[in-house]
Amino acid sequence: MGLLDGKTALITGAARGIGKAVALKFAEEGADVAFTDLVIDEVAQQTVEELKAFGHKVKAYASNAASFDETHSTVEQVLSDFGRIDILVNNAGITRDGLMLRMEEAQWDAVIGVNLKSAFNFIHAVTPVMAKQRGGSIISMSSVVGEHGNAGQCNYSASKAGLIGLTKSIAKEMGPRGIRANCIAPGFIISDMTAAMPDDVREAWVKTIPLRRGGTVEEVAKVALFLASDLASYVSGQVVNCCGAMSC
Ligand code: NAI
């Protein structure tokens, strides 16, 4: 018996990285999994195959999380394919780092669109469904820099702080309908996103982590499993840090 037997999860940006690890963990625990990414290419197809090995229903959707219209039609499609949505994970995210003095409007708009507006888009589309079902769990991937800020990431930090405010408001607004909303704030997690950092920047980050290593995507996925499942039935409006004590 799995912790998510009979549940359907929708995870954004899950072709690779943390989203993929969350999808695999959810499928391992019995969930049917719908996931999105910008394109459904070979990498995403490979993820579909790995998920299918758990024997539950799986489907991938090409969908730009920053687009209000696309996300709403994706949610309609998922509903027609799966019949319900119990868990939403707002995971899609990008970085466009730069110091404020040099940051261009396009860098700001891109990051706010993909990291923050995307969560509004999906929550807006999914909450009526969850309200009708009288329950659901919404998880949004924030970041420790959304709590503490980070030089060179004013756009990214603002987007991740915004997710926390959005989540706390949704927890209050939708709690009476049985919907829980929480954020995960990962610290430094080994993925394509952090692999793109220059070596010296990456090493400097690792030195600031009391556990003296980056986290794995599986370690974040285990926190997502907790928040998605009934183990967290009285946990809502919270930010759970997964950061090796980098931020405490
Ligand atoms: P990643 O870059 O490995 O994966 C992100 C996925 O999102 C990719 O598959 C990408 O194609 C997809 N994506 C990008 N734009 C999209 C869009 N407009 N619509 C749909 N999908 C889109 O990143 P990673 O590391 O797995 O990060 C996942 C989430 O966790 C992000 O929100 C990130 O900000 C957050 N996070 C990651 C940390 C880390 O250290 N890796 C630390 C803190 C937070």
Side-chain angles (χ1 to χ4, degrees):
M1 223 179 95
L3 285 168
L4 303 180
D5 283 346
K7 307 271 190 201
T8 296
L10 169 58
I11 306 164
T12 70
R16 59 179 66 71
I18 292 172
K20 175 179 176 179
V22 170
L24 289 168
K25 180 55 72 187
F26 284 8
E28 186 187 335
E29 289 292 333
D32 290 335
V33 173
F35 78 85
T36 73
D37 214 294
L38 265 181
V39 288
I40 302 307
D41 55 8
E42 275 174 25
V43 173
Q45 279 304 342
Q46 171 64 26
T47 301
V48 169
E49 294 312 315
E50 289 177 44
L51 286 165
K52 277 187 181 161
F54 292 99
H56 311 296
K57 192 165 177 178
V58 178
K59 194 162 175 189
Y61 302 81
S63 179
N64 178 0
S67 158
F68 185 85
D69 291 342
E70 262 183 56
T71 54
H72 282 69
S73 58
T74 301
V75 166
E76 270 175 36
Q77 194 56 54
V78 172
L79 269 181
S80 126
D81 294 338
F82 287 78
R84 56 186 298 118
I85 299 171
D86 304 285
I87 301 157
L88 167 68
V89 183
N90 291 308
N91 169 78
I94 57 169
T95 52
R96 296 286 184 272
D97 296 349
L99 296 169
M100 177 57 104
L101 289 176
R102 287 193 216 122
M103 182 157 297
E104 292 176 8
E105 186 185 7
Q107 286 171 275
W108 175 270
D109 287 346
V111 167
I112 297 298
V114 177
N115 296 9
L116 178 58
K117 188 178 177 222
S118 60
F120 162 72
N121 292 339
F122 273 99
I123 292 170
H124 187 267
V126 157
T127 43
V129 180
M130 289 182 170
K132 228 187 253 173
Q133 294 171 186
R134 301 218 56 79
S137 173
I138 298 170
I139 300 163
S140 297
M141 256 345 134
S142 180
S143 165
V144 291
V145 305
E147 299 172 301
H148 301 285
N150 192 28
Q153 288 197 308
C154 67
N155 51 356
Y156 185 79
S157 305
S159 72
K160 296 301 184 181
L163 284 177
I164 296 174
L166 172 64
T167 294
K168 287 179 181 287
S169 300
I170 294 302
K172 288 183 173 162
E173 206 170 303
M174 302 306 292
R177 313 281 191 116
I179 299 171
R180 298 183 293 105
N182 293 286
C183 280
I184 300 175
F188 186 94
I189 307 300
I190 303 154
S191 73
D192 288 355
M193 187 178 271
T194 46
M197 284 175 161
D199 287 349
D200 55 330
V201 176
R202 197 169 40 247
E203 280 157 27
W205 269 100
V206 171
K207 278 193 191 135
T208 68
I209 304 170
L211 287 184
R212 290 288 183 271
R213 63 174 179 86
T216 65
V217 292
E218 289 78 18
E219 286 171 314
V220 180
K222 284 189 265 185
V223 179
L225 172 63
F226 167 68
L227 291 173
S229 75
D230 285 344
L231 291 176
S233 52
Y234 204 53
V235 179
S236 192
Q238 304 305 308
V239 182
V240 180
N241 285 34
C242 181
C243 65
M246 175 199 255
S247 138
C248 63

